[in-house]
Amino acid sequence: MAKSILSAQEPREIKRIALYARVSTLNGQHPEMQLAELREYAGRRGWQVVGEFVDIGVSGSRDSRPELNRCMDAARARKCDAILVWKLDRWARSLKFLVNNLAELTAYGVAFVSLRDNIDLSTPAGRLMVQMIGAFAEFERSLIVERVRAGMNSARARGKRLGRPSSGITVGQVVALRSTGASWRTVGEQLGVDAATALRLYQRCGMVAASTPASA
């Protein structure tokens, strides 16, 4: 993912900037603190602010935030040359979201600037920083996969059965209910499973063709 960030087209010269801020009302914060600094910085750089997007009382851990989505829509429509945020944690709280998001912006030729983190994706140094962030994200994913596999191997070594838990019903129960003329849906409801599960159990004893639909 990090490679795609560097291989995409170079960001355009920054003239129009979109500001994004996020605060939590639970912390007694106000977005104006962030916005004031962002406006002042944009002014010093000679950038025209074409939009301000603010999410209030929304957790940064959620991938879907209304104003962030609108900000991204502006980038997709090329209504801005860059997005300016106060800090990275105002924009994203996971490496995966950050790397994927920056890759998308770069694909549109839109830069990303984080004021307090001193990251400017329109510069070579900024793109190098994002490359490093992407490498850490990939490393994090590898560690998670390794931990999951180690846990599964350890569970198997202890004799623990992995996979979906058993439904706890028997073929005999299914046969008995089906013999009353009940539909597969009714059989499933009586046994606390779905119709397809009941049918599979019935098929195991060879009493019905495998092609029989569960709706029968």
Side-chain angles (χ1 to χ4, degrees), residues 183-203:
S183 67
W184 287 117
R185 180 178 180 180
T186 301
V187 172
E189 290 176 349
Q190 290 291 322
L191 298 176
V193 297
D194 57 60
T197 298
L199 176 58
R200 281 196 298 272
L201 285 172
Y202 204 60
Q203 289 170 346

Side-chain angles (χ1 to χ4, degrees), residues 95-169:
L95 285 174
K96 179 181 178 181
F97 178 91
L98 179 63
V99 172
N100 291 343
N101 193 264
L102 295 187
E104 183 179 359
L105 287 175
T106 306
Y108 301 136
V110 176
F112 180 88
V113 182
S114 176
L115 178 59
R116 288 298 185 91
D117 299 301
N118 197 28
I119 294 177
D120 185 342
L121 199 57
S122 68
T123 67
R127 291 191 290 276
L128 176 61
M129 177 63 71
V130 175
Q131 173 79 350
M132 295 172 62
I133 292 173
F136 281 118
E138 185 63 34
F139 179 63
E140 180 185 53
R141 285 193 292 270
S142 298
L143 288 179
I144 292 173
V145 171
E146 289 180 5
R147 285 197 294 267
V148 171
R149 287 176 178 171
M152 293 175 65
N153 291 335
S154 176
R156 290 193 184 100
R158 296 195 304 270
K160 184 176 181 180
R161 183 178 179 181
L162 302 178
R164 301 175 76 183
S166 173
S167 61
I169 65 175

Side-chain angles (χ1 to χ4, degrees), residues 22-40:
R22 181 183 62 79
V23 295
S24 171
T25 54
L26 298 178
N27 296 331
Q29 299 174 334
H30 195 280
E32 190 58 33
M33 181 192 73
Q34 297 176 33
L35 293 173
E37 287 193 37
L38 296 178
R39 294 182 194 120
E40 191 274 335

Side-chain angles (χ1 to χ4, degrees), residues 2-16:
K3 182 178 179 181
S4 65
I5 294 177
L6 296 183
S7 60
Q9 60 177 297
E10 294 287 322
R12 305 186 300 274
E13 178 186 358
I14 299 177
K15 295 180 179 179
R16 301 166 303 161

Side-chain angles (χ1 to χ4, degrees), residues 22-109:
R22 181 183 62 79
V23 295
S24 171
T25 54
L26 298 178
N27 296 331
Q29 299 174 334
H30 195 280
E32 190 58 33
M33 181 192 73
Q34 297 176 33
L35 293 173
E37 287 193 37
L38 296 178
R39 294 182 194 120
E40 191 274 335
Y41 180 76
R44 284 193 283 112
R45 295 290 299 269
W47 296 338
Q48 175 191 1
V49 177
V50 295
E52 297 184 359
F53 305 89
V54 181
D55 278 311
I56 298 178
V58 180
S59 170
S61 63
R62 290 173 53 185
D63 283 349
S64 179
R65 285 170 276 165
E67 289 301 294
L68 185 146
N69 292 338
R70 290 186 59 234
C71 187
M72 286 297 297
D73 287 341
R76 296 185 185 102
R78 303 296 181 90
K79 294 181 179 179
C80 61
D81 303 313
I83 293 174
L84 175 63
V85 302
W86 191 60
K87 287 189 67 177
L88 284 177
D89 64 1
R90 299 297 87 193
W91 183 260
R93 285 196 180 162
S94 75
L95 285 174
K96 179 181 178 181
F97 178 91
L98 179 63
V99 172
N100 291 343
N101 193 264
L102 295 187
E104 183 179 359
L105 287 175
T106 306
Y108 301 136

